[in-house]
Each structure stands twice: as C-alpha cells, then as structure tokens.
C-alpha cells in the first residue's frame, strides 16, 4: 500500500508540477549544466572546487538539501494536503528500528570490505587522519547528511514514486523511472566525467536497490538507513581525488584511478553485494509476494481505503 498513500492527498497536475520543479530544481539544474558543458569546462569546475577547504566545500554542497527537504515537506503538507507520515510509510507510525538496522548493515559491510581490501593491498591507501579536521567533518556529516539523503529518498522513492504510481496505476513503471532518473541526476559527479558514463550503471543500480527496498517493505525506512550509512562511510572512511565530495576522511586513495578496476568493483556491488543485502532484509522482515509488490497493478478497490484510513491528528 505504499504507492497508494499518494491518494491521501490532492493530486492536481499543477500541484505535482510545482512541487517537482521546486524540489528537484537542484538536480535538474546540475543535469542541464552537465549536458551543456564540455569536458574541459567540467574539469576546470572540478579543479576550482578542489581548491576550496574540504569541510567548507562539504557544507556548501549539503546546506541546500536542508532547505529543499523542508520545502518538499511544506508543499506536500500544504499544497497536496497530505501528512509526511503518508510520504514515509504505509504503517501507522515510523519504525526507527528499521532505519537503524539498515544503517548498521551498510556501515558494517563497508568497514569489513575496506579492512579486507586494505590487508590485501594498501599500497595506494594512505593514513589521512587530522584530529581537528576530522572532528569537524564528523559533526558536519552527522548534522547535514540526513538532510541530503532525506531529500533524495523522500523525493525519488517517496513523492515521485507515489505520484507516478497513482498516475500509471502500476508499480513497475515508477520503480524503473525513478531509479533511472536518480542515476542520471548524479551524472555531474566528478567520477562520471573522469571514468566514463559506465559509472551511471552503479547509480542506477543503487536506485533500483533503494526502490525495491521501499516497495517490498512499504516504507522509506530501510532506504533512508541504507543511504545515510553509505554516504557517511563515503565521507568519513576514505576519500580520493575523483570522489563526488572531497573530505578530510580517515584514509585517502593516492593511486591513479583505473576506470576498469573501479567499474569492476561497482559491478561486484550490484551483482553480489546488493542481492545479499536484499536477502538479509527479506529474511528479517519476512518479505513475500515479490512479483505483486514490484510489478503489480494498483487495485482500484484500495484507493478509497487509502483515502479514508488516514487519521490526520496522529500523523507526523
């Protein structure tokens, strides 16, 4: 019933257009700019950004997400006349244990993979720890990354998934579309320009992973936890010159990036690691009926139920 939560609000086309343009503007702008600029111009932009102190650059990158997430909530609540709870889950309340469990799984997996790879070959990995800078990075990450991942999840897996789903009356199309668009909107990241468009398969694959979590669990909770854990590890554990966001992480990769090796690592993540993570969640939360959950149609008899079951005073 997650997609059907969209029927709890007012869904005029112009309300959808206003909300989408206002909240997805940062992604649309980046993508249009990326398409218009040459490779040389993009390299100059990345070079100028690398000259900004890492923590200051991180704050500048993350602050807009806080305002946009607040704007999304404001528009959903007042323009669509919906609760934020209906945007989050089909259950009666938010299950914070799910968020914490998903967060813990990805953090533990990231640390284990890093430790194993470090002991296999750490010739290009250098200790980068600066206590003062890392402490500031840690505070910035804890304070601002929840807004960044919150906007992306509530926008793509929440708002757009639901609005597109109730428009087309099925589940597979919003899953595919939001996953592809989620990937494309990351195309302006430095690693895409430097290693080729093949990197986009990783972003799109990650979009599918998060979308499957959302539809199978009827909520954003697992996707929120996974996305937050992933981004925190990317910021705190190891950084490199071609990372999307430069940080004062514990370690720095000092070698020359090899597109083939990096693409192989991404393929391993999509083909092996992601299915394992889904298997863990499926066992823990007893997921069943995958075909109907991921590709089924939205049944008309559910629509009135979705409209009438909301108890507004008790919602977030």
């Amino acid at each position: 019933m997650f997609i059907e939560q969209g029927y709890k609000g007012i869904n005029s086309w112009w309300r959808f257009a206003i909300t989408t343009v206002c909240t997805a503007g940062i992604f649309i702008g980046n993508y249009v700019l990326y398409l218009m600029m040459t490779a040389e111009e993009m390299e100059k932009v990345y070079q100028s950004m690398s000259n900004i102190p890492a923590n200051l650059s991180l704050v500048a990158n993350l602050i807009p997400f806080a305002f946009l997430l607040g704007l999304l909530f404001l528009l959903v609540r007042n323009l669509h006349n919906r609760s934020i709870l209906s945007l989050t889950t089909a259950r009666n309340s938010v299950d914070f244990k799910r968020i914490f469990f998903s967060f813990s799984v990805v953090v533990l997996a990231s640390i284990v993979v890093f430790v194993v790879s470090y002991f296999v070959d750490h010739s290009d990995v250098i200790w980068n720890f600066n206590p003062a800078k890392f402490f500031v990075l840690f505070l910035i990450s804890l304070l601002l990354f929840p807004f960044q991942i919150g906007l992306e999840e509530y926008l793509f897996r929440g708002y757009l998934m639901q609005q597109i789903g109730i428009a087309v009356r099925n589940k597979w199309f919003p899953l595919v579309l939001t996953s592809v668009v989620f990937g494309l909107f990351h195309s302006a990241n430095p690693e895409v320009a430097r290693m080729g468009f093949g990197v986009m398969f990783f972003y799109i694959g990650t979009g599918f992973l998060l979308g499957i979590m959302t539809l199978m669990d009827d909520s954003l909770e697992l996707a929120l936890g996974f996305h937050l854990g992933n981004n925190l590890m990317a910021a705190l554990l190891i950084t490199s010159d071609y990372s999307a966001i430069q940080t004062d992480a514990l370690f720095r990769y000092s070698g020359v990036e090899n597109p083939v090796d990096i693409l192989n690592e991404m393929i391993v993540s999509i083909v092996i690691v992601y299915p394992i993570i889904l298997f863990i969640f499926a066992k823990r939360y007893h997921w069943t009926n995958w075909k109907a959950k991921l590709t089924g149609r939205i049944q008309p008899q559910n629509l009135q139920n979705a409209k009438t079951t909301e108890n507004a005073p008790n919602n977030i």
Side-chain angles (χ1 to χ4, degrees), residues 190-241:
E191 62 267 25
V192 178
R194 295 180 182 180
M195 290 180 285
F197 209 72
V199 178
M200 296 306 303
F201 287 106
F202 174 74
Y203 286 115
I204 293 173
T206 303
F208 271 103
L209 172 72
L210 297 169
I212 291 170
M213 288 181 190
T214 299
L215 291 180
M216 290 303 302
D217 204 51
D218 277 326
S219 77
L220 288 178
E221 294 146 346
L222 295 178
L224 287 168
F226 181 94
H227 202 158
L228 179 59
N230 179 78
N231 285 21
L232 282 179
M233 287 296 97
L236 299 175
L237 189 57
I238 185 168
T239 188
S240 66
D241 292 336

Side-chain angles (χ1 to χ4, degrees), residues 34 37-52 186-194 241 243-244 246:
Y34 170 78
M37 296 178 71
T38 65
E40 292 77 14
E41 290 172 332
M42 289 296 294
E43 188 61 34
K44 289 180 180 178
V45 172
Y46 297 144
Q47 186 60 43
S48 64
M49 291 174 60
S50 67
N51 295 327
I52 302 173
H186 286 79
S187 58
N189 286 4
E191 62 267 25
V192 178
R194 295 180 182 180
D241 292 336
S243 298
Q246 302 293 307

Side-chain angles (χ1 to χ4, degrees), residues 2 91 98 102 105-106 153 157 161 175 206-227 274 277-278 281 285 287 290 293-294:
F2 179 74
R91 289 182 281 271
R98 272 177 157 82
S102 182
V105 167
V106 70
E153 290 310 312
R157 257 67 61 180
M161 181 88 79
L175 171 61
T206 303
F208 271 103
L209 172 72
L210 297 169
I212 291 170
M213 288 181 190
T214 299
L215 291 180
M216 290 303 302
D217 204 51
D218 277 326
S219 77
L220 288 178
E221 294 146 346
L222 295 178
L224 287 168
F226 181 94
H227 202 158
Y274 284 3
I277 289 173
L278 287 176
F281 290 155
Y285 298 112
W287 291 349
W290 288 67
K293 284 272 193 176
L294 299 180

Side-chain angles (χ1 to χ4, degrees), residues 12-51:
S12 308
W13 70 266
W14 61 269
R15 298 173 196 266
F16 172 72
I18 289 174
T19 303
T20 302
V21 171
C22 288
T23 55
I26 188 171
F27 302 104
I28 297 172
N30 281 341
Y31 187 63
V32 171
L33 188 64
Y34 170 78
L35 294 177
M36 294 176 61
M37 296 178 71
T38 65
E40 292 77 14
E41 290 172 332
M42 289 296 294
E43 188 61 34
K44 289 180 180 178
V45 172
Y46 297 144
Q47 186 60 43
S48 64
M49 291 174 60
S50 67
N51 295 327

